[in-house]
Amino acid sequence: MKKTILAIAFVAIGAVSCKTDKNKATVSDEIKEVAKTENVINTYKANIAESAVAWKGSKPTGSHNGVVSLSKGTLEIENGNVKSGEFIIDMTTISCEDLKAGDGKEDLEGHLKNADFFDVEKFPTAKFQVASSEVKGGKVHVTGNLTLKDVTKSITIPATITEADDMVTFKSDTFSIDRTDFGVTYKSKKIDAALKDKFINDLMEISFEIKAKK
């Protein structure tokens, strides 16, 4: 049972569904120049207690989902668009929400944090830094640098921004990335074809929900 739970590990997993493939983010080289959050009037600071990064991963026999907390974050909003921003993700807080304590939850979370996956002792944080954005189709399409472990790549994700008084909510669509692009290769069939049906899917689903206040 323990081996089964560990094999279905979060990190590296993404659903092998048409939806996941359709929502796969295009991964490109790191963008070297990004805007800094400097406009005090329009800058929002993330409410850490109400903000999180959601994840979902799977293998042929099942899936798991959970959240990771932020350690800090800022957004500069102007006319409903994101001018700049940065989210620092505390990888030591990886949690699984579909397992109960004592029923494999601790084992799975521990495995996700070790060197097979995110190696949080060596890489305690991940980061998303906004480089540019544009409004189209009723949504804000944000391009930025995503750093996982020691790899930084640019991705573009659609999101919705809701402003009310001095509060703002930044909520991304669910998107997927290929974990192997970021050096997470444990039980990837792309790396080891001999795994047959014992592999973990390369695609993993992610979404951001950031609540922030001026």
Side-chain angles (χ1 to χ4, degrees):
M1 180 66 174
K2 181 177 180 180
K3 289 183 178 179
T4 300
I5 291 170
L6 296 181
I8 302 177
F10 139 64
V11 226
I13 2 185
V16 185
S17 63
C18 294
K19 177 183 177 181
T20 303
D21 291 334
K22 181 179 179 181
N23 293 335
K24 183 179 178 183
T26 299
V27 175
S28 305
D29 292 337
E30 175 185 3
I31 298 171
K32 298 300 183 181
E33 295 186 11
V34 296
K36 301 296 183 182
T37 305
E38 298 176 338
N39 190 334
V40 177
I41 296 175
N42 295 316
T43 298
Y44 294 80
K45 184 177 180 181
N47 181 330
I48 303 306
E50 296 184 4
S51 303
V53 180
W55 60 264
K56 181 180 179 181
S58 68
K59 62 173 292 182
T61 56
S63 66
H64 288 299
N65 63 272
V67 295
V68 190
S69 299
L70 297 188
S71 58
K72 63 180 179 178
T74 55
L75 284 169
E76 184 178 336
I77 307 296
E78 187 175 289
N79 297 323
N81 200 2
V82 182
K83 306 300 292 184
S84 63
E86 181 178 83
F87 312 142
I88 306 299
I89 304 162
D90 183 356
M91 298 302 290
T92 67
T93 67
I94 295 170
S95 66
C96 177
E97 295 192 321
D98 62 282
L99 291 176
K100 296 180 180 180
D103 192 27
K105 176 179 171 69
E106 296 86 354
D107 287 340
L108 176 56
E109 292 173 352
H111 197 195
L112 299 179
K113 294 174 184 178
N114 77 19
D116 281 342
F117 295 109
F118 288 120
D119 198 357
V120 302
E121 183 174 348
K122 187 175 181 180
F123 306 103
T125 62
K127 179 172 68 174
F128 181 74
Q129 189 171 26
V130 176
S132 63
S133 64
E134 63 175 327
V135 178
K136 59 181 181 179
K139 294 195 175 183
V140 180
H141 292 253
V142 180
T143 297
N145 290 326
L146 176 65
T147 301
L148 288 174
K149 298 181 76 170
D150 58 349
V151 180
T152 300
K153 299 283 187 178
S154 72
I155 62 172
T156 300
I157 57 176
T160 301
I161 294 174
T162 305
E163 295 181 80
D165 298 325
D166 59 349
M167 300 291 295
V168 66
T169 298
F170 174 93
K171 184 175 178 62
S172 80
D173 286 4
T174 297
F175 62 96
S176 61
I177 60 171
D178 186 330
R179 63 184 173 103
T180 64
D181 287 333
F182 296 88
V184 183
T185 60
Y186 180 75
K187 289 200 173 181
S188 168
K189 198 171 184 178
K190 185 188 301 183
I191 305 300
D192 184 2
L195 288 168
K196 297 184 179 180
D197 62 347
K198 304 297 183 182
F199 67 94
I200 295 173
N201 295 319
D202 291 336
L203 295 181
M204 54 183 290
E205 292 185 358
I206 299 174
S207 63
F208 295 106
E209 182 167 2
I210 313 299
K211 295 188 177 182
K213 184 176 181 178
K214 282 186 179 180

